[in-house]
Amino acid sequence: MARFFLPAVLFALFSGGAHAHVKWFSEPTAAVSDAGFTHSEIIAALLLLLILLAVARWLNAQVAKRGAAHCAPWFHDTKPLGYAFLLLSIYFLGCAFSGFILAPHVAATKGVTALCIGLQATVSILLLLNRAQMFMAGLISSLFVVASVADVTFLLEYVLLLGLAWLVYSTQRIPNEPTMMILRSALGISLVGLALTEKLLQPELAMNVLQQYPLNFMAHLGVPFSDKWFVLAAGMVELLIGLLLMLGWLVRTTILVLLALMIASNSYFLMVENHALALMEFIGHLPVFAAGILLLCYSSTVTRNARELALQSRSAITTEQRLSAESGH
């Protein structure tokens, strides 16, 4: 139960709307006053982040000590991969029908957009058929390059798509451990990038969204929690989750919390009956859900180094016990 403590606290504190993509919903509004963070707020947030990382590292080591059964992948068949490909197919088809390139905020010329719509529809069909994997991976990578030229921050925020392109290229039946490490790291980098570009380095973007949509549930509960603090908290939680995935600590638990946050942010738009934004949020988050399914089912819950240390520790204890028993006889 200890390994669920840290993510559960994060979910309880910062769930609703924290992971809605700011650039998808931010509309030009009046300038937000007092949007920047003070030095004391930044220092306090960084200290808390370091403490939580230290706790996560300790919990990760405790999980590793419980044995290989708690660290091994959950699935050894192709069903989760098929579900992930289905979600990705819906994502690319949704992007094509919506008329944008991989993300709602990416803008390009009409000719480039039309070409990319066709390419996205092609990727969607190939994913359903599970054919021409090298060609598919090339198309996804090409779309990523086009989107990155249109928006340079896309390079950092959507590295996950490159991880998924590698997965498509390299996996025939069951993803191997290096592929899962690449996918996990790519998802972590994307979350860190989004935390920095949409919240921590440009808090005014997120605060504009809060002016348009009452996502700050803490204020509605009567807690004196300003929109600026909410943005800082959401950004730090996203940063923490990204770092945990990059480090390979508490992978499954972290993924479960991440998916719960995604569902919470999407549920908000359904509750306020803004179905267009709910659909946009759903389509945009499908690559994260696909990666989450794969990491839950095929990835180890802790890093290889932690497992090796735990195995070495148990081996040393077993050897010591055997020698002690022999000396007793």
Side-chain angles (χ1 to χ4, degrees):
M1 292 300 293
R3 61 191 171 124
F4 290 98
F5 174 76
L6 174 63
V9 170
L10 297 178
F11 175 69
L13 288 177
F14 305 118
S15 58
H19 284 262
H21 278 275
V22 169
K23 294 179 182 177
W24 300 351
F25 309 113
S26 182
E27 299 290 342
T29 60
V32 178
S33 60
D34 191 30
F37 304 123
T38 64
H39 290 297
S40 59
E41 289 171 339
I42 294 173
I43 292 173
L46 289 176
L47 286 175
L48 180 59
L49 176 67
L50 292 175
I51 292 171
L52 292 175
L53 284 173
V55 173
R57 185 176 185 274
W58 179 80
L59 290 174
N60 188 73
Q62 300 310 304
V63 174
K65 291 178 181 178
R66 295 179 64 181
H70 296 278
C71 305
W74 283 348
F75 281 80
H76 298 280
D77 58 45
T78 60
K79 287 182 180 179
L81 183 66
Y83 296 144
F85 276 22
L86 176 61
L87 292 180
L88 289 175
S89 177
I90 296 171
Y91 164 71
F92 283 105
L93 187 63
C95 290
F97 272 106
S98 300
F100 53 74
I101 306 171
L102 299 180
H105 67 280
V106 176
T109 63
K110 289 184 178 180
V112 172
T113 300
L115 174 62
C116 289
I117 288 173
L119 294 179
Q120 290 174 135
T122 302
V123 172
S124 176
I125 295 171
L126 291 176
L127 282 166
L128 282 178
L129 298 175
N130 195 14
R131 294 288 185 273
Q133 289 170 294
M134 182 181 296
F135 181 59
M136 256 197 299
L139 289 182
I140 296 172
S141 301
S142 300
L143 288 165
F144 178 86
V145 171
V146 173
S148 298
V149 171
D151 179 8
V152 68
T153 60
F154 195 93
L155 278 168
L156 182 62
E157 297 170 350
Y158 290 84
V159 176
L160 171 60
L161 292 175
L162 289 183
L164 290 167
W166 174 257
L167 171 87
V168 168
Y169 168 73
S170 63
T171 304
Q172 296 295 328
R173 290 182 54 81
I174 299 175
N176 56 32
E177 189 167 346
T179 296
M180 297 313 301
M181 183 188 68
I182 291 172
L183 183 64
R184 170 175 56 76
S185 300
L187 177 56
I189 292 171
S190 290
L191 292 172
V192 170
L194 289 166
L196 293 174
T197 60
E198 292 190 347
K199 298 177 181 73
L200 299 178
L201 298 181
Q202 300 183 82
E204 63 276 6
L205 294 177
M207 291 181 69
N208 276 334
V209 173
L210 292 178
Q211 286 186 346
Q212 299 168 56
Y213 309 101
L215 295 169
N216 186 354
F217 66 94
M218 300 289 284
H220 298 299
L221 294 175
V223 180
F225 210 73
S226 68
D227 285 350
K228 184 174 72 170
W229 286 5
F230 187 82
V231 170
L232 177 60
M236 295 306 293
V237 169
E238 199 163 25
L239 179 62
L240 174 60
I241 291 175
L243 291 174
L244 289 177
L245 290 174
M246 291 171 64
L247 293 167
W249 296 347
L250 305 173
V251 175
R252 289 180 189 147
T253 307
T254 303
I255 287 294
L256 287 172
V257 173
L258 174 63
L259 296 183
L261 290 170
M262 296 290 180
I263 293 171
S265 65
N266 190 257
S267 299
Y268 166 78
F269 293 107
L270 289 175
M271 286 189 296
V272 299
E273 298 185 352
N274 195 328
H275 299 125
L277 292 183
L279 181 61
M280 182 191 300
E281 176 96 344
F282 172 73
I283 293 173
H285 282 159
L286 284 176
V288 178
F289 280 103
I293 288 173
L294 294 171
L295 289 169
L296 280 175
C297 297
Y298 294 129
S299 181
S300 301
T301 190
V302 296
T303 59
R304 175 181 289 274
N305 288 338
R307 292 203 307 275
E308 289 175 349
L309 288 173
L311 290 172
Q312 290 173 7
S313 176
R314 287 198 303 276
S315 176
I317 293 173
T318 303
T319 302
E320 183 179 350
Q321 290 174 342
R322 179 171 54 80
L323 291 175
S324 177
E326 290 175 355
S327 63
H329 289 292

